Amino acid sequence: MTILVTGGAGFIGSNFVLDWLAASDEAVVNLDKLTYAGNPENLASLRDDARHVFVKGDIGDYALVLDLLTRHRVRAVVNFAAESHVDRSIHGPEDFIQTNILGSFRLLEAVRCYWNGLDDAEKNAFRLLHVSTDEVYGSLAKTDPPFAESNQYQPNSPYSASKAASDHLVRAYHHTYGLPVLTTNCSNNYGPYHFPEKLIPLCIQNALSGKPLPIYGDGQQIRDWLYVKDHCSAIRRVLEAGRVGEVYNVGGWNEKANLEVVHTLCAILDELQPRADGKSYAEQITYVTDRPGHDRRYAIDAGKLERELGWKPAESFETGIRKTVQWYLRHQDWVNNVLSGDYQSWLDKNYANRHG
Ligand SMILES: NC(=O)c1ccc[n+]([C@@H]2O[C@H](COP(=O)([O-])OP(=O)(O)OC[C@H]3O[C@@H](n4cnc5c(N)ncnc54)[C@H](O)[C@@H]3O)[C@@H](O)[C@H]2O)c1
């Protein structure tokens, strides 16, 4: 048996692949375009592992996806592949439309074609799990209840709008064609292999390099935070036991304002790697102009996933954030590699004459 993971060289996808192969012998075909956010170094420990087949390619390449599904007799697809950074979607939405909407559509078409050719038992057992975000639900006021699966979609950024569009397509392929799909909408993840353009790894890195820790606006934007390995365990659980056609919200019950998150990071760094001058890293906090249209609050009600499938996060914010800081302190080579652009030139060299 084999699963196809898309976007498995990115932050969450690579954590998922590593955790999957640590827990199971079921092979993984990993399809990733290796955009700036995809990093094969995340998967270095699988280099000689025959259970992991890496293919550089686009989810929008119908022929390639169909070939992979057929050749590897795939029994499930987990779709992580996406453009994922809200700020980048504001500067240039085009890539988000291409991958998150058109790419997801072509992936669905290839899966539909493959699935139609399976026998009844294989058809029934097959799953496509689409990984999405809580951002599709829009922004909450301070006293609003957390997002439930029944909340209206009100995406506010090109990123969340493109993810919302892909969620709708996934839903439609179930209702129209009977494709056995599952969708998860998760809150903000943090943990190992997080690309250092996002708040938590950016602040850890800037703190250590003596640079400002940029806080958008007043820093009171509230997010629910989930340790990435808990997101991965939720996806495994939904894939295993989720009801076909259903949506499951995934969250950590950890609502925190951005400023609080950064103060927590500074306190842990003060303890684990104090500044040479004895001052707190919090001195480096700097307020910068807010992101246009910045959503004020996201909060997730993960009660359905807990009740129906018995899933619970293993980490609290306090334990997860400490593990994350420790990971970044131990993996400065990984961060420097990403930041230096070395791995981009390595990729160009490595893939110049290769085909998936
Ligand atoms: N990071 C979060 O906090 C979070 C929270 C909820 C949901 N999500 C969703 O989870 C998924 C993964 O997020 P992430 O943070 O790991 O993102 P990421 O940007 O770190 O990784 C995305 C991966 O997808 C690959 N990719 C991009 N376009 C592709 C294409 N056309 N074909 C094949 N591969 C392509 C990239 O190379 C990269 O490896 C996304 O769908 C995102 O919307 C993320």
Side-chain angles (χ1 to χ4, degrees):
M1 301 287 249
T2 299
I3 63 166
L4 172 67
V5 172
T6 69
F11 164 46
I12 306 174
S14 59
N15 275 287
F16 180 83
V17 170
L18 291 168
D19 288 2
W20 180 272
L21 290 173
S24 139
D25 270 337
E26 186 172 9
V28 173
V29 177
N30 186 348
L31 173 65
D32 195 298
K33 189 177 170 184
L34 295 181
T35 67
Y36 78 93
N39 185 353
E41 272 306 300
N42 301 1
L43 305 159
S45 62
L46 300 175
R47 215 156 261 157
D48 299 318
D49 194 326
R51 299 171 304 164
H52 180 242
V53 177
F54 184 79
V55 180
K56 181 177 185 292
D58 195 320
I59 54 165
D61 185 340
Y62 174 91
L64 172 64
V65 175
L66 186 55
D67 175 60
L68 292 175
L69 292 167
T70 311
R71 209 154 25 98
H72 295 277
R73 270 309 295 157
V74 166
R75 66 110 184 154
V77 176
V78 184
N79 181 32
F80 291 98
E83 290 292 335
S84 71
H85 190 34
V86 178
D87 287 336
R88 286 182 188 253
S89 83
I90 294 168
H91 292 296
E94 175 83 31
D95 287 347
F96 290 72
I97 307 307
Q98 283 300 336
T99 284
N100 299 1
I101 304 181
L102 276 175
S104 298
F105 159 67
R106 297 211 174 99
L107 174 74
L108 281 163
E109 278 290 276
V111 170
R112 180 166 78 93
C113 176
Y114 168 70
W115 181 74
N116 274 331
L118 298 176
D119 66 35
D120 283 351
E122 289 170 325
K123 263 189 175 162
N124 284 336
F126 186 87
R127 297 288 181 270
L128 169 89
L129 191 152
H130 176 63
V131 179
S132 193
T133 165
D134 60 355
E135 303 195 24
V136 297
Y137 296 120
S139 186
L140 293 169
K142 245 192 175 135
T143 52
D144 285 341
F147 300 127
E149 290 80 357
S150 53
N151 269 59
Q152 199 184 342
Y153 269 36
Q154 293 186 318
N156 290 324
S157 71
Y159 163 64
S160 53
S162 65
K163 290 296 292 185
S166 64
D167 294 8
H168 290 322
L169 284 170
V170 168
R171 175 188 160 88
Y173 270 62
H174 174 63
H175 282 268
T176 306
Y177 304 114
L179 200 67
V181 305
L182 299 154
T183 300
T184 53
N185 291 87
C186 186
S187 58
N188 276 32
N189 283 214
Y190 65 97
Y193 303 114
H194 206 179
F195 196 83
E197 65 183 354
K198 306 274 173 86
L199 179 72
I200 288 179
L202 179 85
C203 284
I204 296 173
Q205 218 41 44
N206 281 13
L208 296 174
S209 332
K211 292 184 185 159
L213 310 183
I215 302 288
Y216 287 164
D218 63 2
Q220 293 309 314
Q221 306 85 358
I222 292 172
R223 303 289 180 260
D224 173 74
W225 292 93
L226 183 68
Y227 191 60
V228 63
K229 300 211 172 274
D230 282 326
H231 187 188
C232 294
S233 75
I235 291 169
R236 288 199 304 275
R237 186 68 192 131
V238 172
L239 189 61
E240 175 181 65
R243 283 186 290 132
V244 165
E246 290 291 313
V247 173
Y248 294 90
N249 281 353
V250 187
W253 307 105
N254 282 311
E255 280 187 59
K256 306 273 178 211
N258 285 349
L259 188 59
E260 187 187 345
V261 169
V262 176
H263 273 291
T264 305
L265 288 175
C266 290
I268 299 173
L269 282 169
D270 287 342
E271 179 196 325
L272 298 181
Q273 190 150 314
R275 263 172 51 156
D277 63 6
K279 292 184 178 165
S280 170
Y281 287 102
E283 302 244 334
Q284 291 165 231
I285 289 176
T286 311
Y287 292 89
V288 299
T289 312
D290 206 352
R291 169 190 284 166
H294 205 170
D295 285 338
R296 207 57 191 161
R297 176 175 166 241
Y298 305 139
I300 272 276
D301 177 353
K304 176 176 172 184
L305 179 55
E306 290 193 7
R307 275 190 314 277
E308 289 192 9
L309 304 183
W311 173 86
K312 265 193 179 2
E315 303 292 343
S316 65
F317 184 72
E318 288 65 31
T319 59
I321 199 75
R322 182 169 285 271
K323 282 187 179 175
T324 303
V325 174
Q326 286 167 334
W327 188 89
Y328 277 90
L329 289 175
R330 280 199 309 270
H331 292 82
Q332 283 294 295
D333 285 356
W334 180 89
V335 179
N336 292 328
N337 212 12
V338 171
L339 292 179
S340 70
D342 276 0
Y343 94 86
Q344 258 321 330
S345 41
W346 177 85
L347 284 182
D348 293 343
K349 199 164 64 184
N350 191 48
Y351 286 101
N353 298 311
R354 288 190 197 216
H355 303 283

